[in-house]
Amino acid sequence: MTSLSLIPSDISTSIAVAICAIAFVSGTARGFSGFGSALIFMPLASSVAAPRLVAALLLVIDFIAATPLLPNAWTHADRKATAVMVAGALVGVPIGTYFLTVLEPVTTRWIISCFVAALLALLLSGWRYHGKEHVALSVGVGGLSGFCSGLAQTGGPPIVAYWLGRPISSVISRANIVLFFGASDFFSLVSYWFTGLITIESIKFSLIVGPVYGIGVWFGAALFGKASEKVFRAICYALIAAAVIVGLPALDGILRGG
């Protein structure tokens, strides 16, 4: 079996190389700053390949990469609070997955670009929720994150904005986030599998893109402490903004010279 045989039949070699390059950049952002991978990967990758394929691809890659973090997260997380949030994701993920399967690719790309732009604005604002904790609110935030994950694997910012504003230690909040996304990704895997979004082709393609993404994560982690975090975060924000602009379907004719 050669590397070329792992590329889906409807993906050209040049597009596969482009997706690998996007994976490396998004992985580097994830490794250095802990965020931004999906917000960079999804708009850019869905501009050159079907959103259904790239969402499934990112889900498989990220789930494998995050699995080793789950035992430690289970130990330190507030499991009761996380379970309430997960209950929302249990509803939100299938709804987001449903829309991913029924919407036209161009419509999905518009939604992804708008979602990512809104989530970028949330990150840039620095806003955190500091109000009281309510079950309904926790379920709602979990549902919103689950919907974003089911549709485009971009469920991070709502959860981060909520939990980093809670009066709990950073160790617990990080563990909560990791544990939540472990459950959310599992729901997504089940939902994607039963709706046919995860295919043998997408799994084989992940064998090419996954290692490149992993190298990016390693490279970004190696940069941490050697480069200015403030500057690098600014670069990440700029990359996300560029990904949104490039991913806009309205620019297709301009970007392709027509």
Side-chain angles (χ1 to χ4, degrees):
M1 179 181 292
T2 64
S3 297
L4 292 178
S5 68
L6 299 176
I7 300 174
S9 57
D10 58 341
I11 297 293
S12 67
T13 303
S14 59
I15 289 178
V17 171
I19 291 175
C20 285
I22 295 167
F24 176 78
V25 172
S26 60
T28 300
R30 173 72 174 270
F32 186 93
S33 63
F35 77 97
S37 58
L39 301 184
I40 294 171
F41 185 85
M42 283 304 300
L44 288 177
S46 64
S47 70
V48 297
R52 298 176 186 180
L53 171 64
V54 296
L57 181 64
L58 181 60
L59 172 60
V60 172
I61 292 170
D62 227 22
F63 183 76
I64 293 173
T67 297
L69 303 176
L70 292 177
N72 184 64
W74 178 266
T75 301
H76 295 97
D78 181 342
R79 293 192 289 272
K80 182 178 180 180
T82 304
V84 174
M85 197 81 78
V86 166
L90 185 60
V91 177
V93 166
I95 295 175
T97 303
Y98 169 76
F99 280 104
L100 179 60
T101 59
V102 300
L103 292 176
E104 292 293 325
V106 172
T107 303
T108 305
R109 285 178 55 197
W110 273 113
I111 294 174
I112 289 172
S113 292
C114 291
F115 263 13
V116 173
L119 296 174
L120 174 60
L122 179 63
L123 289 171
L124 286 170
S125 72
W127 181 85
R128 299 288 185 267
Y129 177 74
H130 297 287
K132 294 182 178 180
E133 187 170 354
H134 299 283
V135 171
L137 178 61
S138 295
V139 172
V141 173
L144 174 61
S145 177
F147 176 80
C148 293
S149 292
L151 178 66
Q153 296 305 307
T154 54
I159 293 295
V160 171
Y162 179 80
W163 252 322
L164 292 189
R166 309 305 304 143
I168 56 179
S169 71
S170 58
V171 173
I172 294 176
S173 63
R174 181 179 177 84
N176 287 354
I177 292 169
V178 171
L179 192 60
F180 171 85
F181 280 110
S184 178
D185 283 354
F186 175 76
F187 297 155
S188 292
L189 282 171
V190 173
S191 190
Y192 277 32
W193 178 264
F194 280 104
T195 53
L197 290 172
I198 292 181
T199 62
I200 297 300
E201 282 194 328
S202 64
I203 293 174
K204 289 195 298 184
F205 194 29
S206 71
L207 297 178
I208 295 177
V209 182
V212 177
Y213 178 81
I215 292 171
V217 172
W218 171 83
F219 180 65
L223 288 177
F224 188 78
K226 298 179 181 179
S228 167
E229 183 174 359
K230 183 177 181 180
V231 171
F232 199 91
R233 282 182 175 268
I235 292 173
C236 288
Y237 290 141
L239 286 172
I240 295 170
V244 171
I245 295 171
V246 173
L248 288 173
L251 294 180
D252 281 355
I254 297 174
L255 294 175
R256 296 176 186 178

